[in-house]
Amino acid sequence: MTQHDSPALPAHRPGPSGQAPDAPSLSRTTRPWMPALLYTLGFLTVYLLAICTPWGQRAENALFGLGKQGGEEAWIYPLSGAAYGSTPLPPLELSAKPTLMVGLAVIVVLTLVRRCWWQGCAALGVVILTTGGKEVLKSTLPRPDLVGAPENLLDQGFPSGHTAIPAALTLAAVLVVSPRIRPYIATAGVLWLACIAAASATMGGHRPSEVLGATLLACAWYGLATWLLPSAAAPGATRSTRALPVITLTVALVIALVSGARNDTLTRSLVSAATAFICAALVWYAAVGRPAHTARRTRPALR
């Protein structure tokens, strides 16, 4: 009889999952915590530079000296609710609280309909902590008078409540809507924010730092919420057409220019518009702009 060679044994045995030899196995999913930290540092930087330095105070106080006091010269004044008999554009003037309540109700309804419990809790947390946090910060963060400013410029308005509402509601809505419509919801919210932020700055209700601070506060809470969400509930990469970011930010710039425009001063108009556009870009980047909220790392399989 001829002796047959025994078949060669495999060098490595596949693991329980049937993976090929030396195939990498996925480690636990991790989410970046850096955005939340960066937004928080940005918030603190704006506060320290604009409010706690003499040159920061002089720069912002000088804007109030450009043109007339009040918002009558602003193009958006008829929609501000400050004019007698006018209907305010939400959330300006007395429409702030109703806008906030309606927004919270919509988030609750979407959470119940889509049964996205973790995302719904995170969305409510973003709104409540942003709008509630700005009330706490207004009363606790000091505004020292370093330049001998007039009494009407010593009011503490950091961060801006009117800007915090659209920023927080936009980021909260992104958490609870379907991924397919998420970019379009973010677009609508960003355009709304550009209008309100520019109006708040140009009519004299808030300084540019207060508008920017409110947006950074909302982005910081959103970044923290997405980091703390369980892996299965964390929002994944948002897909949209390549043209959508360009279109969104271009329209946001136009809206900011129109909403920030005044008849009596070009400088104040441009500063208000630039501040509003930065706010819109920050929220767009936080909600949609990053390529993914999750990242996977690989490691060699155990032999």
Side-chain angles (χ1 to χ4, degrees):
M1 294 178 61
T2 20
Q3 186 177 7
H4 297 280
D5 295 332
S6 59
L9 294 176
H12 304 286
R13 294 182 180 180
S17 60
Q19 289 179 331
D22 296 327
S25 62
L26 293 177
S27 67
R28 65 177 184 176
T29 303
T30 59
R31 290 181 300 280
W33 51 266
M34 186 62 71
L37 176 62
L38 292 178
Y39 290 128
T40 302
L41 291 176
F43 176 87
L44 294 174
T45 300
V46 169
Y47 170 74
L48 293 174
L49 292 182
I51 296 177
C52 298
T53 63
W55 54 268
Q57 288 190 4
R58 288 192 183 96
E60 289 201 306
N61 290 346
L63 291 175
F64 288 87
L66 300 175
K68 299 179 181 179
Q69 295 293 327
E72 292 82 358
E73 294 297 321
W75 291 9
I76 202 171
Y77 181 75
L79 299 176
S80 66
Y84 178 76
S86 65
T87 302
L89 182 68
L92 298 177
E93 294 293 334
L94 297 179
S95 66
K97 289 184 178 179
T99 302
L100 180 60
M101 293 299 104
V102 171
L104 288 172
V106 170
I107 292 171
V108 171
V109 170
L110 288 173
T111 301
L112 295 174
V113 170
R114 300 194 65 239
R115 298 183 179 181
C116 51
W117 313 120
W118 283 109
Q119 295 92 329
C121 291
L124 291 174
V126 169
V127 178
I128 293 172
L129 290 173
T130 300
T131 56
K134 63 93 180 174
E135 294 293 341
V136 174
L137 292 172
K138 276 186 176 182
S139 59
T140 56
L141 289 178
R143 180 184 290 277
D145 182 15
L146 304 177
V147 295
E151 185 177 355
N152 64 320
L153 298 181
L154 298 180
D155 293 336
Q156 170 63 296
F158 185 90
S160 165
H162 292 105
T163 306
I165 292 176
L169 289 178
T170 298
L171 293 170
V174 165
L175 285 171
V176 295
V177 298
S178 169
R180 290 179 297 177
I181 65 171
R182 186 180 298 152
Y184 307 102
I185 295 297
T187 294
V190 162
L191 299 183
W192 179 31
L193 173 63
C195 177
I196 299 304
S200 299
T202 198
M203 289 193 302
H206 290 284
R207 297 167 174 82
S209 63
E210 296 166 354
V211 172
L212 188 56
T215 303
L216 288 167
L217 181 64
C219 291
W221 285 122
Y222 175 81
L224 182 62
T226 56
W227 180 54
L228 293 177
L229 277 173
S231 300
T238 302
R239 296 182 179 180
S240 63
T241 61
R242 292 183 178 181
L244 185 59
V246 177
I247 294 173
T248 298
L249 294 180
T250 301
V251 176
L253 177 59
V254 173
I255 291 177
L257 288 170
V258 173
S259 301
R262 294 177 60 95
N263 295 320
D264 53 352
T265 166
L266 178 62
T267 301
R268 187 167 170 180
S269 301
L270 293 178
V271 170
S272 301
T275 303
F277 177 75
I278 293 174
C279 292
L282 285 170
V283 170
W284 175 264
Y285 179 78
V288 182
R290 281 182 283 146
H293 293 280
T294 59
R296 289 181 175 181
R297 295 180 297 181
T298 59
R299 62 184 178 188
L302 296 177
R303 298 183 179 181

